[in-house]
Amino acid sequence: MLINNEFNEEKIQSPQQYIWSIFKSKNIAVVSMWAVVALILIAIFCQYIMPYPPALQHPDMLLLPPYWVDGSNPAHLLGTDDLGRDTFSRLLKGIQLTLTGALLITVAISLLGLIIGSTAALLKGVKASIVHHLLDALLTIPTLLTALILIVLFGMSFENSLLAVSLSLLPQFIRGIYNCIETELNKQYVVALRLDGSTNLRLLRYGILPNIIEPIVTLLNRIFTMAVLEITTLGFLGFGANLEEIELGALIAKNLDLIYISPYLVLFPGLAIFMIIIIFNIFAEGIRHAVIEGED
Amino acid sequence: MFNYLIRRLYLLCITSIILTIIAFSIQHLTVGNTLDSNVFSQYLDYLISISQGELGVSALDNQPILKTALIAFISTLELCFFAFIFASIIGVPLGILAGLERNRGIDYSIMSIALIGLALPVFWVAIIFTMLPNLTGWVMPIDGNISVIYEVPMVTGIMLIDSLLVSEQYQLSAFYNHLVHIVLPATVLAIFLISEIIRLTRHSITMIMRSNYIKAAHTKGFSRPQIVYRHVLKNAIPPIIHQLRLQISTIISFAMAIEIVFSYQGAGMWLFVSIQQGDYLALSTAILIISGFILILSIIVDLLLVLISPTKRKVLYADQ
């Protein structure tokens, strides 16, 4: 085999490749990445993984415990609830709804927030101060209160609760982006780019955005975490989901009466929320470390 | 300093005007008022009624809604206060330790605890905590602010002081009873707060340990405790306070979710019950009270920061 090493070409890695190579070298980060992929696959192919339809009732098998406890039935891996519905299927359905909701919110907020935040940071004068004061006012309203108000205005449904959560988290993200760009604008290379005569758009694309990846990852991670927590909180309070759409918080609320008879019904959805958040947090932390090391 | 004060007060005015507009439009959209067709004059009336402290009467119990809301919100603040004290006592030393021992075993274990604390959904932890007395056999109340056998008259509105004032009748047992009722909800809120404080403290400490004056102190031959007490802590505390100031609204919204699980009579429970029974006047009142409180508190914290930290003052003078 001919080894083509005649002209010893030195390849210089692009920053993205360099960050990726650092990311690959960390075991926990790679494991969490595959866990994230697995969660997303579960959310997409939920229909095909579920052993039973989530609303199917088995009247002869009520309140079964999970398979490792005595008196369980191997047909229902994680047991059943008081109407004989399979816990595992309901859990998967709940994960699908919560995760897709949170991911949708994160994507929508990041797009909208980037546009509004960078516009606000690059503007000057009256327009900028209007945005500034409006954000200040919106930030003082607790997110749960905002979500409750929007749900009262729009009516109760899962879609509206998603809308409410995203609108209540949007000011935080805009403020975060605004602060990042504001600190970046005072640096010397931005002044140099300005002296070169670059337009605002070019300044943003080549000057600022590549340098604020790390704070953006942190912000997005925070927004995702808060989105999961708020969707489930609204579901738990009974403002989000209806009977068909059992997202994880609503699942906990529905099973709350059974907590002394079969605590697993409350334990599992909570653990599922915990796992979703912790997996995404470790993944984001891995990216953040890779970006920081790549910049050094 | 004077200029700074004026600027903050000016910001306070504009932000509170925006808040009243938001509150007014919510009230307009939910409750509605068809007496006068002109929205602008209605808004002026609304402003006048706010300045007189008359926000209307609750549809549920015909009491003035401002009084109910204030009493409920003060209970929430009591909860947040206890949780905050508890969390600072535990969180700050752990955060300092993690920041000083960066990238060692102890740092990783403390940060894992912080990560877990942040990832646990608060209402679920609250449910688990309501089960704890049953599982472990402690005698702990899990609902309400105080046992119904105590009749505490409303004097200041703050239950902590009110229950002390009836000590002639109950010999402090009402006070202890109220404290015991707060313990579990405050612990749940503190779990979230501890992990937040640990993260902030660690970040702030590591930033300062990298700076040049710490290296200079090392070369002078100071021992590590000396450096930490004289240089690190003084400079690390202001950024933590500043970051926590931005989190106040998150803390209050978590406290509201916890209250609903423990049926603790605070702002969360009051809002929840009001919305479920269709008394939407509660929404605009809640915005005025809670956001107004957060606004005023954040300005006070800003002023405090300027007073205690010379670096903030430097920025101030450069502005002029």
Side-chain angles (χ1 to χ4, degrees):
Chain A
M1 198 177 124
L2 190 76
I3 298 167
N4 193 357
N5 211 6
E6 295 272 306
F7 313 98
N8 233 336
E9 262 188 88
E10 272 189 32
K11 278 197 176 161
I12 298 174
Q13 287 177 316
S14 73
Q16 282 84 4
Q17 280 171 332
Y18 186 51
I19 289 171
W20 172 236
S21 70
I22 295 172
F23 184 82
K24 266 197 303 189
S25 66
K26 298 217 163 101
N27 289 333
I28 305 176
V30 176
V31 168
S32 68
M33 184 188 74
W34 286 113
V36 166
V37 171
L39 271 180
I40 293 173
L41 285 181
I42 285 176
I44 295 172
F45 297 108
C46 179
Q47 252 84 11
Y48 308 103
I49 310 171
M50 280 192 293
Y52 304 96
L56 183 66
Q57 303 179 0
H58 301 86
D60 48 337
M61 289 184 264
L62 304 181
L63 288 170
L64 287 182
Y67 72 91
W68 60 85
V69 181
D70 290 339
S72 62
N73 187 331
H76 299 282
L77 274 182
L78 297 182
T80 52
D81 65 0
D82 57 334
L83 291 176
R85 291 174 292 195
D86 188 47
T87 308
F88 186 56
S89 314
R90 285 167 77 76
L91 209 57
L92 283 182
K93 185 74 182 164
I95 289 176
Q96 182 195 29
L97 284 172
T98 310
L99 187 63
T100 37
L103 284 176
L104 271 179
I105 287 175
T106 316
V107 171
I109 284 185
S110 61
L111 291 178
L112 261 178
L114 262 180
I115 295 170
I116 301 176
S118 49
T119 324
L122 292 173
L123 281 179
K124 283 199 175 60
V126 184
K127 280 180 259 177
S129 79
I130 288 175
V131 176
H132 201 81
H133 289 307
L134 201 61
L135 276 180
D136 262 354
L138 286 178
L139 273 173
T140 55
I141 307 174
T143 43
L144 189 63
L145 183 56
T146 321
L148 285 182
I149 289 166
L150 290 169
I151 280 200
V152 166
L153 290 182
F154 295 143
M156 292 180 194
S157 78
F158 184 60
E159 289 78 20
N160 286 346
S161 82
L162 290 189
L163 191 64
V165 172
S166 47
L167 284 181
S168 65
L169 290 176
L170 190 59
Q172 286 188 15
F173 187 75
I174 295 177
R175 174 41 64 91
I177 290 284
Y178 182 91
N179 286 347
C180 293
I181 297 182
E182 194 76 359
T183 47
E184 214 62 25
L185 275 178
N186 293 328
K187 291 188 178 165
Q188 302 219 324
Y189 60 84
V190 175
V191 179
L193 263 178
R194 278 245 167 93
L195 287 177
D196 276 350
S198 66
T199 56
N200 273 342
L201 210 61
R202 194 184 160 79
L203 189 72
L204 205 64
R205 168 68 187 84
Y206 294 100
I208 294 171
L209 277 188
N211 288 301
I212 56 169
I213 295 175
E214 188 253 311
I216 284 184
V217 169
T218 318
L219 266 178
L220 280 181
N221 181 22
R222 184 153 190 97
I223 292 290
F224 177 82
T225 312
M226 292 305 293
V228 172
L229 287 179
E230 281 201 16
I231 293 172
T232 48
T233 308
L234 283 181
F236 174 72
L237 298 182
F239 289 113
N242 53 23
L243 277 177
E244 315 249 308
E245 288 157 336
I246 28 155
E247 101 1 283
L248 289 171
L251 206 56
I252 294 179
K254 289 213 168 74
N255 293 330
L256 198 54
D257 303 334
L258 305 166
I259 189 163
Y260 291 108
I261 308 170
S262 174
Y264 304 106
L265 289 174
V266 176
L267 220 55
F268 288 140
L271 283 180
I273 302 172
F274 173 67
M275 288 309 288
I276 290 177
I277 294 177
I278 214 157
I279 285 171
F280 273 83
N281 265 291
I282 294 172
F283 177 57
E285 197 73 359
I287 294 181
R288 205 172 70 88
H289 274 278
V291 170
I292 290 176
E293 275 184 41
E295 278 171 358
D296 288 345
Chain B
M1 187 65 204
F2 186 66
N3 276 6
Y4 184 74
L5 197 68
I6 295 286
R7 225 174 108 215
R8 289 310 307 186
L9 288 181
Y10 163 72
L11 276 179
L12 171 76
C13 287
I14 289 182
T15 320
S16 48
I17 285 174
I18 293 175
L19 274 179
T20 54
I21 292 175
I22 294 173
F24 171 71
S25 40
I26 284 162
Q27 195 183 25
H28 198 71
L29 286 172
T30 53
V31 182
N33 195 355
T34 48
L35 288 174
D36 196 340
S37 57
N38 188 355
V39 179
F40 186 70
S41 66
Q42 276 185 34
Y43 174 64
L44 282 184
D45 286 347
Y46 186 66
L47 276 187
I48 291 168
S49 62
I50 287 175
S51 61
Q52 288 166 349
E54 288 166 11
L55 292 177
V57 176
S58 163
L60 297 180
D61 52 1
N62 272 329
Q63 295 287 320
I65 199 160
L66 185 67
K67 198 181 160 202
T68 326
L70 272 178
I71 290 168
F73 185 55
I74 285 173
S75 304
T76 307
L77 286 184
E78 265 177 38
L79 182 64
C80 295
F81 175 74
F82 277 104
F84 182 72
I85 300 247
F86 187 46
S88 325
I89 290 171
I90 295 180
V92 172
L94 282 181
I96 291 172
L97 199 61
L100 293 179
E101 306 277 323
R102 195 182 166 79
N103 292 336
R104 301 213 193 117
I106 196 162
D107 174 34
Y108 287 131
S109 40
I110 290 175
M111 287 317 284
S112 321
I113 294 172
L115 186 62
I116 291 170
L118 210 63
L120 284 170
V122 277
F123 63 91
W124 184 72
V125 182
I127 293 170
I128 302 292
F129 267 65
T130 55
M131 288 188 66
L132 269 186
N134 190 34
L135 292 176
T136 55
W138 301 334
V139 182
M140 271 288 201
I142 54 166
D143 59 331
N145 303 22
I146 192 161
S147 291
V148 280
I149 53 166
Y150 299 108
E151 282 180 17
V152 180
M154 195 68 64
V155 183
T156 52
I158 305 167
M159 184 71 100
L160 214 57
I161 298 174
D162 280 355
S163 54
L164 269 180
L165 288 177
V166 290
S167 53
E168 283 174 24
Q169 205 177 342
Y170 298 118
Q171 279 92 32
L172 283 180
S173 57
F175 180 65
Y176 289 138
N177 192 281
H178 179 53
L179 278 189
V180 169
H181 273 83
I182 284 186
V183 169
L184 280 181
T187 316
V188 177
L189 187 56
I191 288 175
F192 165 73
L193 264 176
I194 285 171
S195 40
E196 199 63 50
I197 287 179
I198 287 178
R199 280 161 86 106
L200 294 176
T201 314
R202 175 179 178 265
H203 184 250
S204 153
I205 293 268
T206 41
M207 282 294 143
I208 282 161
M209 288 304 276
R210 273 185 206 157
S211 55
N212 286 332
Y213 56 83
I214 298 295
K215 278 178 201 158
H218 268 298
T219 50
K220 273 186 192 167
F222 285 157
S223 68
R224 214 164 101 153
Q226 270 179 324
I227 294 176
V228 171
Y229 282 120
R230 283 194 199 163
H231 298 281
V232 178
L233 284 188
K234 268 183 201 164
N235 292 300
I237 296 296
I240 301 171
I241 297 177
H242 180 72
Q243 285 294 323
L244 271 181
R245 185 195 76 121
L246 301 176
Q247 305 265 346
I248 297 172
S249 65
T250 318
I251 294 166
I252 287 183
S253 89
F254 277 151
M256 279 160 48
I258 291 168
E259 277 166 14
I260 294 170
V261 177
F262 281 98
S263 51
Y264 181 90
Q265 299 300 318
M269 198 65 200
W270 166 70
L271 261 179
F272 184 64
V273 171
S274 302
I275 291 174
Q276 277 202 327
Q277 302 184 346
D279 181 16
Y280 295 142
L281 193 63
L283 287 175
S284 51
T285 317
I287 282 208
L288 283 179
I289 291 180
I290 300 179
S291 307
F293 168 78
I294 292 174
L295 197 63
I296 291 171
L297 186 65
S298 56
I299 284 173
I300 291 174
V301 170
D302 265 1
L303 289 179
L304 251 179
L305 275 182
V306 168
L307 284 182
I308 62 169
S309 114
T311 43
K312 288 259 173 196
R313 249 175 292 166
K314 191 180 78 185
V315 175
L316 208 89
Y317 293 132
D319 261 7
Q320 288 176 5

